[in-house]
Amino acid sequence: MISRRTFLSILFASCISIISWLNFTPAANAMGGKLPAINQPAPEFTLPTNTGDGKISLSDLRGKWLVLYFYPKDFTSGCTIEARRFQQDLPQYLEKNAQIIGVSADNIDSHAKFCDSEGLNFPLLADTDGSVSKAYGSWLGFLSMRHSFIIDPQGVLRETFVKVNPTIHSSEVLARLEKLQSTAS
């Protein structure tokens, strides 16, 4: 017999998955709002992190490629799968001078527990008021949508992913990052 908390977590994750799969809106206006334009400066942000570094800003990451991924909630099934895949592929991202950063509305204590339980070695940022999620068109009123963005070393948005399958997403991002880097050289 499953606990009430487990049942509610599964129900919540299922609802988010269904909402994500039903996202038939054009890419410029994703379900979470208006997406920032590709080949334009990415929206600046500064958010608290679970890594002990205090806060992380987009400007702190200049000189590196950035995979900025938004997700609904720590400890839910899809979010856990997605985070595990990014962690599994982390050495390949580091070889490509790329930083992975996750963003959700969870607080830094939840992020710290999530990272500890899943062995995550990349920062998670606490967007508790949704301001950064809104700037990236990824806010659903009380949580972040499952969207990802690739930002180049100069802070320019190069790719947007709105229909994300957590199981294969990291490999899709890696393939696109490799292509973007090969054309940028």
Side-chain angles (χ1 to χ4, degrees):
M1 182 164 203
I2 62 172
S3 71
R4 182 177 183 186
R5 181 178 178 175
T6 302
F7 173 77
L8 291 174
S9 292
I10 292 169
L11 181 64
F12 179 76
S14 298
C15 289
I16 296 304
S17 296
I18 290 168
I19 289 169
S20 294
W21 283 106
L22 293 176
N23 184 4
F24 293 113
T25 55
N29 288 308
M31 186 178 280
K34 184 172 175 21
L35 294 169
I38 293 199
N39 297 325
Q40 296 297 315
E44 184 57 53
F45 63 82
T46 299
L47 288 173
T49 178
N50 66 300
T51 60
D53 298 330
K55 293 185 176 195
I56 293 179
S57 298
L58 177 60
S59 59
D60 297 337
L61 302 165
R62 292 282 194 271
K64 287 187 170 199
W65 286 84
L66 172 62
V67 174
L68 184 67
Y69 84 97
F70 292 83
Y71 66 98
K73 189 133 185 71
D74 293 339
F75 298 104
T76 56
S77 60
C79 299
T80 300
I81 289 167
E82 185 175 25
R84 285 177 182 166
R85 297 295 190 272
F86 277 123
Q87 179 60 43
Q88 175 185 328
D89 295 336
L90 185 60
Q92 294 173 69
Y93 285 101
L94 296 175
E95 287 173 11
K96 296 179 183 322
N97 190 35
Q99 172 72 54
I100 299 170
I101 294 184
V103 179
S104 82
D106 294 303
N107 63 37
I108 57 172
D109 292 334
S110 176
H111 286 337
K113 290 174 188 167
F114 187 50
C115 284
D116 287 346
S117 79
E118 297 304 323
L120 304 180
N121 295 317
F122 54 85
L124 300 178
L125 306 184
D127 188 19
T128 55
D129 67 359
S131 59
V132 175
S133 296
K134 287 174 192 168
Y136 280 83
S138 303
W139 188 243
L140 255 185
F142 62 96
L143 56 82
S144 300
M145 293 289 299
R146 194 179 310 281
H147 293 163
S148 297
F149 303 88
I150 297 176
I151 301 169
D152 75 12
Q154 292 74 44
V156 175
L157 180 63
R158 295 298 177 191
E159 187 64 65
T160 301
F161 300 86
V162 293
K163 294 185 179 181
V164 173
N165 176 343
T167 307
I168 60 170
H169 185 53
S170 180
S171 58
E172 293 173 328
V173 172
L174 267 171
R176 185 64 183 135
L177 177 62
E178 188 173 308
K179 188 170 185 181
L180 286 166
Q181 288 180 335
S182 71
T183 59
S185 304

